[in-house]
Amino acid sequence: METKEKESLFSAKNRKLIMNPLNLDNPITVQVLGICSALAVTAKLKPAFVMALSVVIVTAFSNLVIAAIRNGIPPRIRIIVQLTVVAALVIVVDQVLKAYVYDVSRQLSVFVGLIITNCILMGRLEAFAMSNKPWQSFLDGIGNGLGYSWILIAMGIVREFFGSGTLWGYPVMPQFMYDLGYKNNGLIILPPMALILVGTIIWIQRSKSRELIDKS
Amino acid sequence: MSDSYIFRYAAIMVILVAAVLSAVAMLLKPAQDKNVAIARMRFILESANIEATAENAIELFEKYIKEEEVISSEGEVIAIYKDGKLEKGEVRAFDINLKEELYNKSKGKEFVLPLYIADVDGRKYYIFPLQGRGLWGQIYGNLALEQDLVTVGGSQFGHDKETPGLGAEIELPMFELQFKGKKIFDDNGQFTSIKVLKGASKILSGDQLLHGVDAISGGTITSNGVSEMLQTNLENYLPYIQKQKQQ
């Protein structure tokens, strides 16, 4: 009985809800949503990670809450209801960051607040949570959050390593490289380079998954 | 669904959300206040050219900030906090809310000012807290003057929500380091605040260069805010500075 219960919680269909957004339906590289924050907070790994975690939490729980109350939401004010739920969750996340990781919260500055306007969130709420059960919506939220996250973290690693020679604030580029004349690449810390990096990820992804390429 | 249902739904939702958010805010307030206090200590230390982390800020603050003084609007020292205890007066400079005091001043009421005196390996700094307005919200900072009370020994600026990449750059060393070595009095002893100007290093010459730094491209209103903040805040301390110089 118990195994059957587990089976249904993580059935093939439900697993797909998490796995799809990681690759074939990635919010950043395929749907091209949430680009703004992806460019802004990935110059260092730590803020990128905290931002990613915040987005996972907000997408998962806003999906869960909206799916749970979806049948009672008056259709005419549904966007307002969705926004209220998202905004409340974002404020909670922001307050928690201010209380426990104050430095990172200062670095993220406005971008935590801007999660409210992150297209991934509203997109998932409208497209999925409004017409699916809470558990599936929760998984969908986690999936999309993680799809956003791994891109952010990958970019954070690349940009911090090549831009500052550190990872998570710890120096990893060996000193002899600097002695040999190696210099940190200042350009990679700037937002334009982040855009090129996203482009590169999209390029690699499409060369591997050819079904993503437009036929036209 | 009827209109009244929509109204009831919206009302209940708003009240529920408000209750949850207030509860969260109240629960986390003590931890946040502590972080803010530590951040302020780090800012004050930064203006005296001491790099502190969140972990060692309290320790370094006790080590380097020898004295905290509260100054009256006439320039009298009305409270001194030293070695962890109040030696004079009733309030510690660190507990003064500069924003409130400046508001009192604008309303024509009595006000007091905080001041920190640092001793960094034999070098004395007078640290003046600053408070002003940027484009989107408040900006603040600390200006450290050398013992002569004329030359800037270091500075620190911060903001709440200036535009990232533009106005927000005032908190970067690139901007802050420009202030080092500038002067707030001219040769005749006249108060001349430091201006943040577009292309200051090009358009200014000679002695004027000691009273101007380069502004931030795309951050004009924030840059003007810094100029204004320096002018109005330092003005308040002039009676105190004059008194100190006479001694």
Side-chain angles (χ1 to χ4, degrees):
Chain A
M1 188 66 201
E2 221 186 312
T3 47
K4 207 180 162 197
E5 179 100 50
K6 256 186 186 162
E7 184 97 58
S8 68
L9 279 182
F10 288 100
S11 62
K13 210 175 137 212
N14 284 351
R15 276 204 307 275
K16 236 178 151 182
L17 288 175
I18 291 197
M19 299 313 289
N20 254 2
L22 294 188
N23 184 16
L24 292 182
D25 203 13
N26 190 287
I28 294 187
T29 60
V30 179
Q31 301 173 31
V32 199
L33 299 175
I35 288 286
C36 171
S37 53
L39 304 188
V41 300
T42 53
K44 290 265 161 67
L45 181 56
K46 199 174 175 187
F49 178 79
V50 174
M51 181 72 182
L53 191 66
S54 310
V55 170
V56 173
I57 290 169
V58 176
T59 46
F61 284 95
S62 62
N63 261 11
L64 178 71
V65 172
I66 290 295
I69 60 172
R70 68 187 188 282
N71 294 325
I73 299 176
R76 268 191 282 168
I77 59 163
R78 68 177 194 288
I79 301 281
I80 301 174
V81 175
Q82 291 166 7
L83 262 180
T84 315
V85 170
V86 173
L89 281 167
V90 168
I91 293 170
V92 170
V93 167
D94 191 31
Q95 296 286 322
V96 170
L97 292 183
K98 277 200 183 114
Y100 296 106
V101 278
Y102 189 73
D103 277 1
V104 180
S105 140
R106 280 188 64 82
Q107 278 173 36
L108 292 174
S109 65
V110 295
F111 292 101
V112 173
L114 285 179
I115 296 177
I116 297 173
T117 56
N118 192 317
C119 308
I120 300 171
L121 278 161
M122 296 301 282
R124 290 331 290 168
L125 292 177
E126 270 290 279
F128 199 92
M130 284 300 284
S131 49
N132 282 283
K133 292 208 177 85
W135 175 245
Q136 277 79 7
S137 304
F138 186 70
L139 292 181
D140 179 77
I142 292 194
N144 277 280
L146 289 178
Y148 173 86
S149 298
W150 83 258
I151 303 276
L152 246 76
I153 290 169
M155 286 172 65
I157 291 174
V158 173
R159 291 181 74 193
E160 186 171 349
F161 182 71
F162 290 106
S164 318
T166 57
L167 280 180
W168 203 269
Y170 297 104
V172 284
M173 185 63 86
Q175 186 57 42
F176 70 84
M177 289 290 283
Y178 292 109
D179 297 340
L180 286 174
Y182 173 83
K183 282 213 168 66
N184 288 327
N185 188 337
L187 183 62
I188 208 157
I189 298 181
L190 302 175
M193 203 58 198
L195 196 59
I196 293 174
L197 207 60
V198 175
T200 316
I201 295 176
I202 294 178
W203 178 28
I204 295 171
Q205 190 191 20
R206 304 219 165 177
S207 65
K208 291 205 159 166
S209 316
R210 307 209 65 93
E211 64 269 35
L212 288 174
I213 300 170
D214 282 339
K215 292 287 179 298
S216 48
Chain B
M1 285 177 191
S2 66
D3 285 353
S4 76
Y5 175 78
I6 294 178
F7 275 112
R8 265 182 293 139
Y9 193 95
I12 292 171
M13 177 185 71
V14 168
I15 291 167
L16 259 178
V17 168
V20 170
L21 289 183
S22 328
V24 170
M26 272 158 63
L27 259 167
L28 297 174
K29 189 111 203 327
Q32 291 174 351
D33 286 349
K34 192 171 161 236
N35 285 333
V36 171
I38 287 176
R40 272 177 57 214
M41 289 182 181
R42 290 176 66 184
F43 288 156
I44 292 167
L45 289 170
E46 194 186 326
S47 70
N49 309 310
I50 299 160
E51 200 63 52
T53 64
E55 286 75 38
N56 65 9
I58 297 177
E59 188 190 325
L60 290 179
F61 192 83
E62 274 169 14
K63 183 176 169 201
Y64 289 114
I65 307 298
K66 293 289 174 211
E67 213 175 306
E68 295 177 24
E69 290 183 350
V70 180
I71 316 286
S72 75
S73 50
E74 282 85 39
E76 301 290 346
V77 179
I78 52 174
I80 297 176
Y81 180 89
K82 211 172 172 182
D83 301 326
K85 56 183 188 290
L86 275 170
E87 290 205 340
K88 186 183 175 190
E90 282 150 14
V91 63
R92 192 183 158 186
F94 194 74
D95 296 331
I96 287 180
N97 184 339
L98 182 56
K99 206 168 160 185
E100 257 167 41
E101 298 303 330
L102 293 178
Y103 177 78
N104 285 344
K105 190 199 172 202
S106 72
K107 286 277 170 274
K109 287 191 224 156
E110 196 49 43
F111 65 100
V112 293
L113 300 160
L115 169 77
Y116 306 93
I117 298 173
D119 186 335
V120 184
D121 308 325
R123 251 185 123 135
K124 195 174 182 186
Y125 290 113
Y126 292 84
I127 302 171
F128 301 88
L130 312 165
Q131 177 80 40
R133 268 203 302 266
L135 173 59
W136 305 113
Q138 61 168 349
I139 53 175
Y140 37 83
N142 293 285
L143 191 78
L145 294 184
E146 306 265 4
Q147 187 139 26
D148 62 1
L149 280 164
V150 172
T151 319
V152 178
S155 71
Q156 171 274 327
F157 296 99
H159 66 93
D160 273 359
K161 42 191 173 186
E162 297 308 294
T163 323
L166 302 174
E169 311 255 305
I170 57 165
E171 65 182 11
L172 299 184
M174 177 193 83
F175 180 73
E176 291 169 344
L177 286 177
Q178 295 186 90
F179 285 83
K180 220 169 173 175
K182 303 287 173 189
K183 291 187 191 305
I184 64 163
F185 289 94
D186 65 13
D187 286 343
N188 308 321
Q190 200 67 37
F191 172 60
T192 320
S193 179
I194 300 161
K195 294 253 175 333
V196 184
L197 297 167
K198 179 179 170 186
S201 53
K202 287 212 185 92
I203 56 172
L204 298 180
S205 59
D207 282 352
Q208 280 184 318
L209 267 174
L210 287 172
H211 307 290
V213 298
D214 277 328
I216 288 169
S217 322
T220 307
I221 297 183
T222 313
S223 299
N224 290 346
V226 174
S227 290
E228 174 95 16
M229 172 167 81
L230 285 164
Q231 170 82 30
T232 53
N233 281 272
L234 291 176
E235 245 169 26
N236 294 335
Y237 286 99
L238 285 181
Y240 170 82
I241 295 176
Q242 304 298 4
K243 280 207 172 90
Q244 290 296 310
K245 280 185 177 165
Q246 280 158 16
Q247 278 174 18

